[in-house]
Amino acid sequence: MIEPKPDIASLFNSLTPYFEENVKPTEEVTHLKQLEGIYALLNNADVFFPILFDFADPWKIDMLEFLNDHYMDDLTMEQIAAYTGRSLATFKRDFAKISTLSPQKWLIKKRLESAYVKLKEEGKKVQNVYVEVGFKNPSHFSTAFKKQYGITPSEI
């Protein structure tokens, strides 16, 4: 509940003629009344500050959801950061909160896990899989795969 204080009462009293006479206020008046309303609420109780000024990153996209959907795409870290609504530095900071791996290592691990499934369970060929999961270089793919699984992709 909002306490009935003079600034709140004054705001509503000043708006009454617009409703009673069915007159639309100008944009400038509307803007001033919005500001007056914000100040009246802020003066009313501290509880309104986080409600009115909580910029808790509504424009940021969930990083893991985005990465799970796009881990095979040829995107730079800068592009991934931008697509998730972050600068590169903020992306790395936010990512550190949800994973012990760096974003690059997480992507490689995710690509290798997908490659393993495609090789082992789907019976696909190494030549097709490395590109399909987002690696550009078969040598890098093979080295990373062996490092993670202890065998080369062709041994599956």
Side-chain angles (χ1 to χ4, degrees), residues 8-42:
I8 298 286
S10 172
L11 172 65
F12 281 96
N13 286 336
S14 71
L15 292 172
T16 303
Y18 295 105
F19 292 103
E20 288 177 349
E21 297 175 23
N22 202 19
V23 175
K24 184 179 179 188
T26 65
E27 282 188 41
E28 293 82 6
V29 170
T30 302
H31 181 72
L32 286 171
K33 292 301 171 185
Q34 286 174 337
L35 288 174
E36 184 180 353
I38 290 169
Y39 283 116
L41 288 173
L42 291 174

Side-chain angles (χ1 to χ4, degrees), residues 108-110 112-113 143-151:
I108 290 171
K109 183 175 187 276
K110 181 73 174 173
L112 291 172
E113 288 169 353
T143 303
F145 193 93
K146 184 168 184 168
K147 184 178 178 184
Q148 183 160 323
Y149 293 107
I151 56 174

